[in-house]
Amino acid sequence: MRLSVVVVGGGITGLAAAHRVTELARERAIDVDVKVVEARDRLGGTIATERVDGFVVEAGPDSFLSEKPWALALCRRLGVESKLLRTDDRFRKIFVWYRGRLHPLPDGFQLLAPTRLLPFATSSLFSWPGKLRMGLDVLLPRGGGDDESLGAFVRRRLGREALERVAQPLVAGIYTADPDELSLAATMPRFLETERRDRSLILGLRRALRTAPQPGTSGARWSLFVTLADGMEGLVRALAERLPDSSVVLRQRVTSIERPAGRWRLATADGARFEADRIIIAAESHAAARVLRYVDPTVATLLGEIEYAGAATVSLGYQRADVPHPLDGFGFVVPRTEGKSILAATFSSVKYPGRAPEGYVLLRCFVGGALDARVLTEDDAQLLGRARTELREALGITAEPVLSRIARWPASMPQYRVGHLARVETLERRAAALPGVHLAGGAYRGVGIADCVRSGEAAAEAALTT
Ligand SMILES: Cc1cc2nc3c(=O)[nH]c(=O)nc-3n(C[C@H](O)[C@H](O)[C@H](O)COP(=O)(O)OP(=O)(O)OC[C@H]3O[C@@H](n4cnc5c(N)ncnc54)[C@H](O)[C@@H]3O)c2cc1C
């Protein structure tokens, strides 16, 4: 008997799920019909690359983490490893825009805490009282409760300056979140474990660095973030090419599912119907909540409680000669206390080769997020104006850009608030009672592309096992 699997949502999660279904079907000689039903007129969800006039412009994500192995492993299986690009680590530096100028984040800073004394002690980013307060971490006892916000954790261990000048802006560049709402356990468990194990964050991170595997001990070394030569959409295309013919259905928004007689039936806004033995819901959790509202209102409520924030990217191409700053880094982040719209700016053509034609540069500003929702309501001219004003202040650019692109992503970034993991556990327990329905995506156990690949593939395994 042919097993019918319908995947709702054709972002990276849904595509990774559908691809894994086809891999497993082949390996296990199971006759499977897989369909990806996507609401938009294109695959990829928040992944979208535009190639224009020699620029490679990423509207959404520009890279994925290699230290979480799932996306990298998928690229290998898809045969696109040769297209992967490392960051240009000569320019690995990140700047923090503080009090009107860019300060390099001291070498050895591990997201929240310093691990190298000299660069930290000589840094212009922190005051002496701030540095001493951070250093106090080596003496402080363990603390914290069950689930603590990232803001509370950093304030407790390293002080307010570390939170305001480093942790908050770095975290905003990843989660677009308010650190006082963000669950540490759900987002950065490594730091929680370091405190539990080593008491001091600084000493624990230093110890972990000393004992980390040395380069060359485990095959090809990738930089922390990698991308594809033809842009992130290259991954979407490679996945879509591996799916069986006519397995992708575009422009069909699934509105509800029901189970009239032992099989699931999905209905779309346009009146299409799909029958399925298994359903993988790989849409955003707010969309999953709507799809499941009649089948299990409790699951739908839990899904609806996961909040999302919106963000936008403003990409600007310039002639290199028009940018006075040396652009000797990957970009800069902006603390909220500075009152700017830009959360983070990436020097895209410095970070990766081939992002701009010879003699030009590509810069990308990330704006909006949980702490600045109003930005998304502004029109293109306003958004562009803000980005250009702030780039002038930060980098001294007054020239007209040769290229500008704006991409808005409303309700696209899940916010892992304090209590998130407990909510997800309840949700997973409850959803397990829906026979043959599997949830996957960035809303649950990791927001990045690598996590989404893992989540989609795990849903595929579960769908073909149960
Ligand atoms: C601006 C931005 C920058 C980012 N940068 C990075 C980065 O550099 N690195 C990184 O790892 N991650 C980054 N992320 C996060 C990353 O993009 C996401 O984690 C990942 O792409 C999410 O994939 P997904 O498939 O789970 O969800 P999505 O990409 O949101 O896809 C969900 C899909 O489901 C479809 N859908 C929704 N409802 C329905 C329905 N009812 N019926 C049918 N289809 C439906 C949607 O149209 C969409 O295509 C970034 C995100 C944004 C917004």
Side-chain angles (χ1 to χ4, degrees):
M1 202 192 76
R2 192 152 220 228
L3 187 79
S4 161
V5 181
V6 173
V7 179
V8 180
I12 189 68
T13 305
L15 291 171
H19 173 256
R20 188 72 191 130
V21 164
T22 61
E23 279 184 331
L24 290 170
R26 208 168 38 241
E27 279 166 28
R28 298 180 191 173
I30 311 172
D31 187 13
V32 175
D33 173 49
V34 65
K35 284 225 161 359
V36 177
V37 183
E38 165 56 48
R40 296 181 202 179
D41 59 1
R42 48 170 281 275
L43 291 173
T46 46
I47 300 178
T49 311
E50 185 190 1
R51 299 173 68 93
V52 52
D53 300 336
F55 289 93
V56 178
V57 182
E58 298 286 10
D62 68 351
S63 55
F64 63 83
L65 257 181
S66 67
E67 100 189 323
K68 296 187 172 187
W70 307 284
L72 202 53
L74 175 62
C75 288
R76 289 196 179 112
R77 302 204 313 281
L78 290 170
V80 296
E81 197 182 359
S82 60
K83 288 190 179 175
L84 292 179
L85 291 181
R86 295 174 167 77
T87 47
D88 188 341
D89 283 350
R90 285 176 303 164
F91 305 110
R92 207 174 158 159
K93 203 165 21 176
I94 288 182
F95 296 95
V96 179
W97 189 7
Y98 177 68
R99 293 214 174 141
R101 88 183 170 88
L102 295 179
H103 303 255
L105 188 68
D107 255 8
F109 222 92
Q110 295 259 317
L111 209 57
L112 305 185
T115 58
R116 292 183 53 201
L117 187 60
L118 194 63
F120 170 62
T122 54
S123 167
S124 60
L125 178 60
F126 307 109
S127 69
W128 270 109
K131 288 176 189 172
L132 290 173
R133 175 60 188 87
M134 274 183 251
L136 205 59
D137 163 80
V138 301
L139 301 174
L140 286 174
R142 291 181 181 85
D146 271 357
D147 194 4
E148 194 177 12
S149 76
L150 185 118
F153 175 80
V154 176
R155 228 181 259 112
R156 174 167 69 71
R157 288 239 57 103
L158 302 152
R160 197 166 51 91
E161 216 168 90
L163 175 64
E164 287 180 359
R165 297 189 197 171
V166 181
Q168 181 276 323
L170 286 181
V171 160
I174 307 171
Y175 294 96
T176 67
D178 179 347
D180 284 321
E181 304 275 2
L182 201 67
S183 157
L184 181 66
T187 55
M188 299 185 185
R190 178 163 80 99
F191 295 105
L192 203 60
E193 284 151 22
T194 304
E195 185 190 37
R196 282 194 192 131
R197 193 185 50 233
D198 298 292
R199 186 185 51 78
S200 155
L201 211 52
I202 295 176
L203 296 178
L205 293 174
R206 281 171 64 90
R207 196 180 65 85
L209 275 181
R210 279 197 307 275
T211 52
Q214 292 308 301
T217 55
S218 61
R221 285 279 297 176
W222 289 103
S223 48
L224 188 57
F225 293 99
V226 291
T227 191
L228 282 88
D230 51 351
M232 289 299 297
E233 230 179 71
L235 180 55
V236 173
R237 270 195 303 275
L239 277 165
E241 278 163 15
R242 296 303 188 291
L243 297 181
D245 288 346
S246 61
S247 56
V248 173
V249 183
L250 297 175
R251 296 181 209 87
Q252 291 289 345
R253 179 172 298 279
V254 175
T255 47
S256 65
I257 62 171
E258 55 175 354
R259 195 173 162 86
R263 282 190 103 195
W264 291 102
R265 186 181 295 156
L266 297 90
T268 74
D270 282 356
R273 297 265 184 280
F274 300 91
E275 299 271 326
D277 303 299
R278 309 278 191 272
I279 301 178
I280 297 174
I281 305 184
E284 305 89 327
S285 56
H286 49 78
R290 279 196 294 280
V291 169
L292 288 169
R293 67 195 181 284
Y294 301 126
V295 173
D296 191 329
T298 308
V299 168
T301 302
L302 287 163
L303 285 166
E305 283 171 5
I306 301 173
E307 287 182 35
Y308 275 71
T313 56
V314 181
S315 298
L316 297 165
Y318 290 99
Q319 291 199 25
R320 180 66 190 91
D322 285 339
V323 180
H325 193 275
L327 300 181
D328 50 346
F330 287 170
F332 63 86
V333 295
V334 189
R336 177 171 164 69
T337 48
E338 297 302 289
K340 304 291 180 195
S341 297
I342 297 180
L343 298 170
T346 307
F347 306 158
S348 308
S349 54
V350 176
K351 190 169 170 189
Y352 294 109
R355 267 41 198 157
E358 196 60 39
Y360 292 83
V361 293
L362 180 65
L363 310 177
R364 193 178 84 151
C365 306
F366 194 40
V367 297
L371 293 170
D372 194 4
R374 103 208 117 96
V375 165
L376 283 193
T377 63
E378 294 186 340
D379 64 24
D380 282 7
Q382 284 170 308
L383 263 182
L384 196 61
R386 269 175 191 282
R388 287 191 57 198
T389 304
E390 295 183 10
L391 285 183
R392 187 181 64 229
E393 292 171 41
L395 304 174
I397 307 171
T398 52
E400 287 285 321
V402 296
L403 166 127
S404 64
R405 289 290 186 276
I406 294 175
R408 289 182 179 74
W409 300 106
S412 61
M413 322 270 307
Q415 304 288 299
Y416 289 6
R417 299 206 158 189
V418 172
H420 180 78
L421 289 179
R423 177 178 295 117
V424 169
E425 268 157 36
T426 313
L427 178 58
E428 286 173 346
R429 245 195 332 271
R430 178 85 201 199
L434 291 170
V437 175
H438 304 274
L439 295 169
Y444 312 108
R445 294 185 180 275
V447 297
I449 286 170
D451 298 297
C452 289
V453 168
R454 173 175 63 161
S455 171
E457 293 187 342
E461 310 246 353
L464 291 208
T465 307
T466 51

